[in-house]
Amino acid sequence: MKKAFKILMEQLQNFSLIIRMIRYGDQSMYQNHYLGLAWKILNPILQMMVYFVLFGLGLRGSHELGTTHTGYFAVWLFGGMALFFYMQEGISKGSNSIRSQVGLVSKMKFPLSTLPTISILSNIWTLIVLWLLAIGAAAYFHFQLHFNIVGLLYVLIAMHLFVYGVALLLSTIVVLVPDVSALISFIMRVTLFMSGVIINLNGLHNAIGVILRLNPIYYLIESFRAFYMKNVSLMDIIWQPTTIIFWSVTLIVWLWGAHLHEKFKQNFVEYI
């Protein structure tokens, strides 16, 4: 627990440095592109449009939600994909953050534990823009939204804690076993279809559906949707068995990730 608390404090103490590193990384990554940083937003938007046409207009995914309202499906899909893309990028890039940048950090002398945070927060504008797209879809289709600000803040805080814990754990494992990075990419692609992002899992009334709904990512996405699409309170979400499962998984991942990070961080350069 002390190791996890230490790492959490490192994020808070170096937050201004983290923001500067994000700005530097974004500028250097897209400096040779004509559209620059716009590609960080355009790519997920194009993917969202493809899924909407395929599942919303083609396969009629709206029927799975118990409605023929295409606008409802658009708001449901866009909001879920906004959160998922943010988590996907955070976990994928965060898991490779130490291995790809350990040389730079060893020269600059700031905590290695901040690298996953930099990778996660570098995609924050993607989350914001994609969610605004969901809000725009609601306005276009005349669908009324119900914003629970406290609930949305709860989801965002829970999401960042979960994603950082996973990224911290995987970033250490990837340094030790580089082949894991390819497995992570595959798992995140599969997770898109197994976390209720584009397919409504509430329609699966069997053991598989029960297991899939225990997924922490599903918990975050469904809670996020509930706090802007439905008139629910924070207590409606917290007082669920899945909340205990989510926070238990998050705590275990944090403790395990902090332990491995502190144990091997002095030898990262040697492993790479």
Side-chain angles (χ1 to χ4, degrees):
M1 185 65 75
K2 291 183 179 179
K3 294 178 181 178
F5 182 75
K6 175 188 175 183
I7 288 178
L8 178 60
M9 292 306 298
E10 287 178 348
Q11 313 312 303
L12 299 176
Q13 293 169 357
N14 294 276
F15 190 73
S16 60
L17 180 59
I18 289 172
I19 298 302
R20 291 199 298 271
M21 290 297 294
I22 291 174
R23 292 175 179 173
Y24 169 77
D26 287 342
Q27 292 173 357
S28 61
M29 181 179 295
Y30 293 96
Q31 62 181 354
N32 295 323
H33 294 71
Y34 289 112
L35 296 180
L37 295 176
W39 278 115
K40 293 186 67 173
I41 300 171
L42 287 175
N43 186 43
I45 286 179
L46 292 176
Q47 292 186 58
M48 287 175 63
M49 292 299 103
V50 171
Y51 285 122
F52 174 66
V53 172
L54 179 61
F55 290 91
L57 302 180
L59 300 181
R60 304 305 301 169
S62 56
H63 286 285
E64 296 182 7
L65 302 176
T67 177
T68 58
H69 197 308
T70 303
Y72 183 90
F73 180 76
V75 177
W76 182 88
L77 176 68
F78 293 171
M81 294 196 73
L83 203 69
F84 179 80
F85 277 138
Y86 183 69
M87 289 189 283
Q88 181 186 48
E89 289 295 302
I91 292 175
S92 298
K93 293 182 179 179
S95 63
N96 287 286
S97 58
I98 293 179
R99 181 173 178 80
S100 61
Q101 301 185 56
V102 67
L104 175 63
V105 177
S106 63
K107 298 176 182 178
M108 298 183 64
K109 305 298 180 184
F110 67 86
L112 287 169
S113 65
T114 59
L115 289 179
T117 301
I118 293 172
S119 297
I120 294 168
L121 294 182
S122 64
N123 300 298
I124 192 66
W125 284 110
T126 302
L127 171 63
I128 294 174
V129 171
L130 294 184
W131 192 42
L132 289 177
L133 184 63
I135 296 175
Y140 178 80
F141 289 106
H142 306 288
F143 178 78
Q144 184 177 2
L145 299 178
H146 304 274
F147 293 101
N148 185 325
I149 303 301
V150 176
L152 291 172
L153 287 175
Y154 163 77
V155 172
L156 292 176
I157 293 172
M159 175 192 65
H160 281 96
L161 289 174
F162 171 75
V163 172
Y164 177 81
V166 173
L168 179 67
L169 173 61
L170 293 178
S171 64
T172 303
I173 295 176
V174 166
V175 171
L176 303 176
V177 187
D179 291 352
V180 173
S181 60
L183 181 61
I184 294 171
S185 298
F186 170 75
I187 291 175
M188 292 310 300
R189 287 195 295 269
V190 173
T191 303
L192 174 66
F193 298 94
M194 300 178 64
S195 299
V197 181
I198 58 179
I199 299 175
N200 181 28
L201 298 183
N202 292 325
L204 295 178
H205 303 291
N206 50 36
I208 295 178
V210 173
I211 294 173
L212 291 179
R213 287 191 289 271
L214 296 178
N215 182 352
I217 295 180
Y218 172 81
Y219 171 80
L220 290 170
I221 291 175
E222 284 302 296
S223 298
F224 185 66
R225 284 168 170 159
F227 286 132
Y228 76 87
M229 293 185 68
K230 304 175 183 177
N231 188 17
V232 299
S233 66
L234 180 59
M235 292 298 104
D236 292 333
I237 298 299
I238 290 180
W239 294 112
Q240 295 182 16
T242 49
T243 299
I244 298 177
I245 296 174
F246 169 80
W247 285 111
S248 297
V249 171
T250 301
L251 179 60
I252 291 172
V253 169
W254 257 84
L255 295 177
W256 192 15
H259 172 72
L260 291 181
H261 179 84
E262 290 295 313
K263 181 178 180 179
F264 293 104
K265 70 177 182 180
Q266 300 298 333
N267 305 108
F268 279 156
V269 176
E270 298 177 9
Y271 283 107
I272 296 176

